[in-house]
């Protein structure tokens, strides 16, 4: 109920945002840069209006109408908004992150329906960022009129970034209007809106000494296979040529001519694909007629204790020794006549693509590669961490590995102190494991995923799902980033790796295996790596490979999110089905 008058008070203000979008781009930053280079200007002019300001402020959605127009060459000039929705400071799963959301339905000059979907991320990152957060709109254009829950299965028609310019912001402050019969009532409504707006900013950006650490009780058994039902589960150990004992898990309901092998990334394991708290990838494939599914635990797996000791393994070791031995073990078990499909993730994807394009592995029917493959690209802050991290850990601090579980370890340790310091910069949640993971990989709060996409249990058990790891792999990633963002050997000229090529794109025309390059649009670990790799291969073998960018997803949540069986897995199934013959 309105606290100052019996009648609801209408409230409105005007907002204008300008920037650049580019058709065919699915990266916000690249879309902005390409749109700027092409002169593809885009803007909107909106009046944000609610019929009851107090109800608007009290409701958790903080939903209002957006009335006005969009304008840009991409849509044929100025086009009126047919239906627009604005949400102010919507809470997310991050304790100190909110979003402003925009959804505008309109038609282009030819009468075709379009949707503008945009969000501002209101989050206290390192440094003064309140102005940038409140004036930067990450924007997608979609063909058709799409609701929020339809975006995950759609590919943006165009992407980019819009901004509020300072002069427009100053004008916006003068457009606030309240419709009430008396001046005190109008001023009171404006005051309540301002108090809510700036109060929400203070809650988000106000300084805090430390986030609290919630209690941890294991809710799901460690290394459980309970997430996969109605399957015969067996373990298949094998040995690599350089003397490591590794293993595969096999989940079989019935013999199948199409066998799927799933490969994890650094610090994770088979567990990320068999999680019982959501409809996981292995269960999904079994339920959709891929009845023989394998998961590989290669030398990066957190199931192996040697990752808690300093070592000098790199991705050349994995490409030359782990993947060929694993595929050979699968073939021995299933028979030579079966078709083998690969789903690989993170550095498991980089190393497997090195095996495939280096011809260490042959006869693969299809590959789905997530986040990164042969063209690793990382944010600027991640480059700093890649440069300094190994030096600090190996030589200055003498830390043998980085462990997301540090802060929960009993007693005192240097790792625990480092975990405390890391958490001092992370206020987005109460999970110290999540804080360390953001420190280990990527740039963001959090970096690996969007909190909203995770089941609460998944977020709480990060210390089990992601293990400790030696930092030497970072050196290989850095060398690739410095080599013009291209996969290269770690030690050029080392006879141990003589079977691997110096140029992984040299055989691209000869590698007939089709690849689906996939990534989350908000990938804060390897940014647009797979988009760039697909573009590069498209110039060599047009049409052989495919690209899929998933809106509202990041690096890890495309496999570990609570709704991936709806948003992600159907696209993977479609690709696999198309290559069964």
């Amino acid at each position: 109920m309105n606290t100052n008058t019996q009648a609801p008070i209408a409230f409105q203000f005007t907002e204008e945002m300008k920037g650049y979008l580019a058709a065919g781009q699915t990266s916000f930053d690249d879309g902005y840069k390409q749109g700027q280079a092409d002169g593809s200007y885009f803007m909107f002019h909106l009046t944000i209006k609610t019929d009851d300001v107090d109800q608007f402020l009290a409701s958790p959605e903080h939903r209002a109408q957006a009335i006005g127009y969009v304008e840009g060459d991409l849509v044929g000039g100025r086009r009126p908004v047919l239906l627009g929705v604005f949400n102010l400071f919507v809470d997310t799963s991050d304790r100190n992150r909110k979003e402003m959301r925009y959804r505008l339905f309109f038609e282009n000059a030819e009468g075709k329906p379009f949707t503008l979907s945009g969000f501002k991320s209101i989050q206290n990152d390192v440094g003064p960022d309140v102005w940038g957060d409140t004036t930067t709109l990450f924007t997608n254009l979609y063909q058709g009129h799409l609701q929020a829950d339809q975006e995950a299965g759609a590919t943006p028609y165009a992407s980019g970034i819009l901004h509020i310019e300072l002069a427009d912001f100053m004008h916006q402050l003068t457009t606030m209007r309240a419709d009430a019969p008396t001046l005190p009532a109008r001023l009171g409504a404006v005051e309540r809106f301002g108090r809510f707006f700036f109060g929400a900013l203070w809650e988000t950006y106000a300084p805090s000494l430390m986030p609290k650490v919630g209690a941890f009780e294991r809710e799901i058994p460690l290394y459980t296979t309970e997430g996969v039902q109605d399957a015969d589960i067996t373990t298949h150990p094998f040995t690599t040529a350089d003397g490591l004992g590794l293993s595969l898990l096999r989940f079989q309901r019935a013999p199948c001519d199409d066998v799927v092998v799933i490969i994890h990334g650094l610090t994770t394991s088979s567990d990320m694909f068999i999680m019982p708290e959501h409809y996981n990838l292995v269960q999904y494939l079994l339920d959709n007629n891929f009845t023989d599914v394998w998961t590989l635990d290669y030398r990066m797996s957190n199931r192996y204790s040697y990752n808690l000791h300093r070592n000098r393994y790199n991705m050349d070791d994995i490409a030359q020794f782990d993947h060929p031995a694993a595929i050979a073990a699968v073939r021995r078990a299933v028979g030579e006549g079966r078709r083998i499909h690969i789903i690989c993730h993170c550095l498991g994807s980089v190393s497997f693509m090195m095996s495939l394009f280096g011809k260490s592995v042959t006869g693969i029917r299809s590959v789905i590669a997530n986040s990164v493959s042969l063209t690793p690209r990382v944010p600027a802050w991640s480059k700093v961490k890649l440069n300094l991290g190994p030096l600090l850990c190996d030589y200055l601090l003498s830390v043998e590995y980085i462990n997301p579980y540090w802060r929960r370890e009993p007693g005192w340790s240097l790792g625990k102190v480092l975990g405390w310091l890391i958490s001092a910069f992370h206020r987005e949640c109460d999970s110290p494991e999540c804080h360390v993971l953001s420190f280990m990989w990527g740039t963001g709060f959090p970096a690996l995923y969007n909190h909203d996409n995770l089941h609460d249990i998944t977020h709480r058990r990060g210390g089990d799902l992601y293990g400790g790891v030696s930092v030497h792999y970072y050196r290989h990633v850095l060398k690739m980033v410095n080599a013009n963002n291209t996969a290269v050997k770690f030690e050029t000229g080392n006879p141990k790796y003589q079977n691997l090529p110096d140029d992984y794109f040299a055989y691209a025309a000869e590698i007939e295996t089709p690849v689906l390059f996939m990534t989350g649009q908000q990938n804060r670990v390897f940014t647009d790596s797979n988009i760039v790799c697909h573009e590069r291969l498209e110039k060599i073998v047009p049409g052989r490979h495919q690209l899929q960018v998933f809106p509202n997803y990041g690096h890890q949540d495309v496999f570990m999110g609570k709704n991936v069986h709806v948003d992600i897995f159907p696209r993977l199934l479609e690709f696999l089905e198309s290559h069964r013959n």
Side-chain angles (χ1 to χ4, degrees), residues 214-226:
F216 174 73
E217 294 183 5
R218 182 165 285 120
E219 300 166 80
I220 294 178
L222 195 62
Y223 306 135
T224 182
T225 58
E226 294 174 0

Side-chain angles (χ1 to χ4, degrees), residues 70-134:
V70 301
E71 185 173 325
D73 292 338
L74 285 173
V75 296
R78 181 173 295 188
R79 308 302 305 162
V81 173
L82 304 177
L83 177 66
V85 175
F86 167 77
N87 299 92
L88 176 66
F89 294 146
V90 179
D91 289 333
T92 70
S93 297
D94 295 2
R95 185 181 56 185
N96 286 298
R97 177 176 175 270
K98 303 176 186 293
E99 285 188 350
M100 298 187 199
R101 298 172 184 169
Y102 299 71
R103 184 166 303 277
L104 310 178
F105 291 170
F106 61 96
E107 295 177 349
N108 70 358
E110 298 174 352
K112 295 180 179 179
F114 274 80
T115 300
L116 182 149
S117 174
F119 69 94
K120 299 176 185 176
S121 183
I122 310 303
Q123 181 167 321
N124 189 9
D125 300 335
V126 176
D129 55 354
V130 61
W131 171 255
D133 287 354
T134 55

Side-chain angles (χ1 to χ4, degrees), residues 39-196:
S40 183
Y41 177 77
F42 199 92
M43 62 88 68
F44 64 59
H45 180 94
L46 300 175
T47 296
I48 307 300
K49 183 177 182 180
T50 176
D51 293 333
D52 188 336
V53 64
D54 294 293
Q55 183 181 14
F56 168 76
L57 297 178
S59 68
E61 297 84 11
H62 307 302
R63 178 180 174 130
Q65 291 178 277
I67 305 166
Y69 62 84
V70 301
E71 185 173 325
D73 292 338
L74 285 173
V75 296
R78 181 173 295 188
R79 308 302 305 162
V81 173
L82 304 177
L83 177 66
V85 175
F86 167 77
N87 299 92
L88 176 66
F89 294 146
V90 179
D91 289 333
T92 70
S93 297
D94 295 2
R95 185 181 56 185
N96 286 298
R97 177 176 175 270
K98 303 176 186 293
E99 285 188 350
M100 298 187 199
R101 298 172 184 169
Y102 299 71
R103 184 166 303 277
L104 310 178
F105 291 170
F106 61 96
E107 295 177 349
N108 70 358
E110 298 174 352
K112 295 180 179 179
F114 274 80
T115 300
L116 182 149
S117 174
F119 69 94
K120 299 176 185 176
S121 183
I122 310 303
Q123 181 167 321
N124 189 9
D125 300 335
V126 176
D129 55 354
V130 61
W131 171 255
D133 287 354
T134 55
T135 60
T136 301
L137 186 73
F138 299 98
T139 306
N140 284 324
L141 283 186
Y142 293 96
Q143 292 180 317
H145 288 165
L146 273 64
Q147 299 296 338
D149 59 359
Q150 298 174 300
E151 287 188 19
T155 299
Y157 169 75
S159 297
I161 298 173
L162 306 182
H163 294 101
I164 300 177
E165 297 176 358
L166 180 59
D168 292 330
F169 178 74
M170 299 304 293
H171 175 70
Q172 177 179 324
L173 295 177
T174 70
T175 64
M176 294 184 181
R177 298 284 188 274
D179 185 9
T182 66
L183 178 61
R186 292 194 293 272
L187 293 177
V190 173
E191 179 189 1
R192 292 194 296 281
F193 178 86
R195 188 164 59 241
F196 170 80

Side-chain angles (χ1 to χ4, degrees), residues 446-498:
L448 286 182
Y449 38 68
N450 290 343
H451 275 147
D452 289 343
N453 292 337
L454 297 188
H455 194 291
D456 289 342
I457 293 175
T458 303
H459 186 239
R460 288 195 293 269
R461 70 185 191 110
D464 286 347
L465 291 169
Y466 307 87
V469 67
S470 168
V471 298
H472 189 62
Y473 291 111
Y474 295 10
R475 293 187 172 98
H476 201 169
V477 175
L478 177 62
K479 185 165 185 177
M480 293 181 179
V481 170
N482 289 338
N484 196 28
N485 306 109
T486 302
V488 295
K489 291 180 183 178
F490 184 69
E491 297 179 79
T492 303
N494 188 332
K496 181 180 179 182
Y497 309 114
Q498 60 184 348

